[in-house]
């Protein structure tokens, strides 16, 4: 069965450093991969989408990579700020792009 | 622009009761979804719809029903509530992701407790 793995342990980093979150998937060949941010008590908020034929995508301080050989996506936040503290969810998507399967998320804590 | 609106925000049900979770979007998205999220877990897809009059099961559909009579509305019906349905429910909508480089828009959630 399809399996999506994100580090369930919280990632603690110092303000100003680069945070790197990992998403691994098995028994799955997604055409797209999306990343979302979720704050406590709120719904997820879309951040970035990367297609299988794209190696890397950037948006402001965010960078996402997609390695279909390793079956892995990395999510980077550069110059991290305490306001970046949240849970980040990865979501591989089928070829139709219309059924997201979410990982359990990684909680990021940025300390001042 | 309200986005995706879910009501109610909180609800306590007794075992065996029924209720409908409401979801409305004003972005003219053709796709709509219902997810549930248990504490510390990822979101699991319950049902989805690719347009008015069309619905399909997701990963965990048992105990739920949906309908999609309009583009804007996608209510989720719980029949005979059970404690296992205690969860936070999120509604989401989107355009076709294959045609747009944009993801889902989620509502703020309905926190349901079945006692």
């Amino acid at each position: 069965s399809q399996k999506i793995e994100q580090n369930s342990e919280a990632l603690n980093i110092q303000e100003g450093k680069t945070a790197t979150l990992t998403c691994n998937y098995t028994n799955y060949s997604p055409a797209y991969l999306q990343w979302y941010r979720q704050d406590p008590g709120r719904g997820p908020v879309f951040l970035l989408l990367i297609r299988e034929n794209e190696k890397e995508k950037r948006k402001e301080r965010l960078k996402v990579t997609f390695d279909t050989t390793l079956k892995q996506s990395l999510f980077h936040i550069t110059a991290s700020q305490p306001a970046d503290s949240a849970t980040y969810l990865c979501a591989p998507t089928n070829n139709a792009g219309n059924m997201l399967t979410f990982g359990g998320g990684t909680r990021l804590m940025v300390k001042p | 622009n309200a986005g995706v609106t879910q009501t109610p925000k909180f609800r306590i049900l007794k075992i065996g009761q029924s209720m409908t979770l409401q979801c409305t979007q004003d972005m003219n998205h053709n796709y709509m979804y219902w997810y549930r999220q248990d504490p510390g877990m990822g979101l699991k897809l319950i049902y989805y719809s690719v347009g008015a009059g069309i619905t399909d099961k997701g990963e965990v559909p048992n105990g739920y029903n949906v309908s999609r009579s309009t583009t804007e509305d996608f209510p989720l019906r719980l029949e005979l509530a059970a404690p296992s349905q205690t969860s936070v429910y999120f509604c989401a909508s989107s355009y076709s992701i294959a045609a747009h480089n944009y993801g889902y828009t989620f509502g703020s959630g309905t926190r349901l407790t079945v006692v």
Side-chain angles (χ1 to χ4, degrees):
Chain A
S1 62
Q2 298 172 357
K3 192 173 181 181
I4 302 163
E5 291 182 328
Q6 293 187 258
N7 195 338
S8 59
E9 294 183 9
L11 177 63
N12 295 292
I13 65 168
Q14 204 67 35
E15 181 177 8
K17 300 293 186 183
T18 296
T20 298
L21 286 67
T22 305
C23 176
N24 296 299
Y25 55 91
T26 55
N27 299 323
Y28 203 175
S29 296
Y32 314 86
L33 197 142
Q34 302 184 31
W35 283 88
Y36 287 77
R37 169 183 173 141
Q38 188 173 24
D39 292 288
R42 295 180 173 260
V45 174
F46 171 73
L47 296 175
L48 279 171
L49 177 153
I50 187 166
R51 297 173 185 261
E52 61 180 338
N53 60 353
E54 297 174 318
K55 296 294 184 187
E56 179 181 300
K57 199 157 212 180
R58 293 174 185 262
K59 178 183 176 183
E60 298 173 353
R61 293 185 297 113
L62 309 180
K63 184 179 84 171
V64 172
T65 63
F66 192 8
D67 189 324
T68 56
T69 301
L70 292 178
K71 294 186 179 294
Q72 181 181 78
S73 175
L74 299 178
F75 177 80
H76 306 272
I77 305 176
T78 59
S80 59
Q81 305 166 0
D84 294 327
S85 297
T87 296
Y88 291 86
L89 309 171
C90 77
T93 310
N94 64 357
N95 196 45
N98 302 320
M99 280 185 61
L100 288 184
T101 304
F102 284 87
T106 297
R107 187 179 177 201
L108 173 66
M109 299 285 292
V110 181
K111 298 182 179 181
Chain B
N1 193 342
V4 177
T5 302
Q6 291 183 240
T7 57
K9 293 190 183 302
F10 304 93
R11 184 72 184 269
I12 298 174
L13 277 183
K14 293 184 179 179
I15 294 172
Q17 287 185 321
S18 299
M19 77 164 294
T20 298
L21 282 65
Q22 301 292 343
C23 176
T24 299
Q25 54 96 4
D26 62 359
M27 297 168 285
N28 203 33
H29 286 164
N30 44 346
Y31 298 93
M32 295 188 75
Y33 317 85
W34 275 105
Y35 285 86
R36 61 176 286 173
Q37 185 175 35
D38 299 326
M41 306 292 286
L43 293 97
K44 294 190 182 296
L45 183 65
I46 305 172
Y47 271 96
Y48 68 101
S49 169
V50 300
I54 306 169
T55 63
D56 209 344
K57 296 178 180 179
E59 184 182 359
V60 290
N62 292 342
Y64 307 95
N65 277 299
V66 294
S67 60
R68 182 97 181 269
S69 57
T70 66
T71 298
E72 294 80 18
D73 300 308
F74 190 41
L76 178 71
R77 178 81 177 163
L78 278 71
E79 305 281 1
L80 300 175
S84 62
Q85 293 178 305
T86 294
S87 190
V88 180
Y89 292 84
F90 289 103
C91 178
S93 70
S94 73
Y95 292 117
S96 167
I97 292 173
H100 299 82
N101 275 322
Y102 206 80
Y104 290 12
T105 300
F106 280 84
S108 57
T110 294
R111 186 176 296 274
L112 175 67
T113 302
V114 182
V115 296

